[in-house]
């Protein structure tokens, strides 16, 4: 599932959870911004790429990029809450970072082909 498809799944999930999901204003910046109960949630999303199979190192690059994006967004104080949305291919590396993500109060959403669920 490519990144735009993952983003659609996460937007649908958040709407079902009672969030008001804002339309994406620009291709640069946060992937998803949503609000609920007066709080702003910022979500960075990563999808599958063809290189994940032919060059597994691209998974590492994508995960490190994702972690850098969410840390920068949090450092800029762009929202009240933060989350990342990943595919199963990213989970092994994200699980290694889970204690730090927990310390930073960053939620982790796992996007399968059929559903979205919070794993951290």
């Amino acid at each position: 599932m490519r990144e735009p498809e993952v983003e659609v799944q996460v937007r649908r999930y958040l709407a079902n959870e009672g969030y008001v999901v804002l339309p994406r204003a620009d291709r640069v910046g946060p992937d998803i911004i949503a609000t609920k109960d007066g709080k702003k949630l910022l979500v960075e999303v990563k999808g599958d790429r063809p290189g994940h199979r032919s060059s597994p190192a691209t998974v590492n690059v994508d995960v490190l990029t994702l972690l850098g994006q969410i840390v920068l967004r949090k450092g800029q104080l762009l929202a009240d809450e933060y989350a990342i949305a990943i595919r199963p291919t990213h989970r092994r590396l994200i699980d290694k970072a889970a204690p730090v993500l927990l310390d930073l109060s960053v939620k982790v959403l796992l996007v399968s082909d059929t559903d979205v669920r919070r794993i951290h």
Side-chain angles (χ1 to χ4, degrees), residues 30-104:
D31 293 325
I32 300 172
I33 296 176
T35 61
K36 181 178 178 181
D37 300 329
K39 292 187 177 183
K40 185 188 292 187
L41 170 68
L42 184 149
V43 184
E44 289 293 344
V45 175
K46 281 294 172 250
D48 299 320
R49 293 195 296 145
H52 289 165
R53 288 195 179 106
S54 62
S55 177
T58 61
V59 174
N60 294 350
V61 170
D62 283 352
V63 167
L64 294 174
T65 299
L66 178 64
L67 293 173
Q69 287 171 319
I70 203 67
V71 168
L72 287 173
R73 307 282 189 240
K74 193 163 173 67
Q76 294 170 309
L77 304 173
L78 296 179
D80 303 297
E81 300 176 332
Y82 298 84
I84 57 174
I86 62 167
R87 292 284 292 151
T89 191
H90 305 112
R91 183 161 186 183
R92 179 184 56 84
L93 291 173
I94 291 298
D95 284 347
K96 291 179 181 183
V100 174
L101 293 169
L102 183 62
D103 284 347
L104 293 173

Side-chain angles (χ1 to χ4, degrees), residues 12-27:
R12 187 175 305 126
Y13 167 81
L14 292 173
N16 289 338
E17 293 292 311
Y19 285 88
V20 174
V21 183
L22 304 176
R24 188 161 184 163
D26 198 350
R27 293 307 310 159

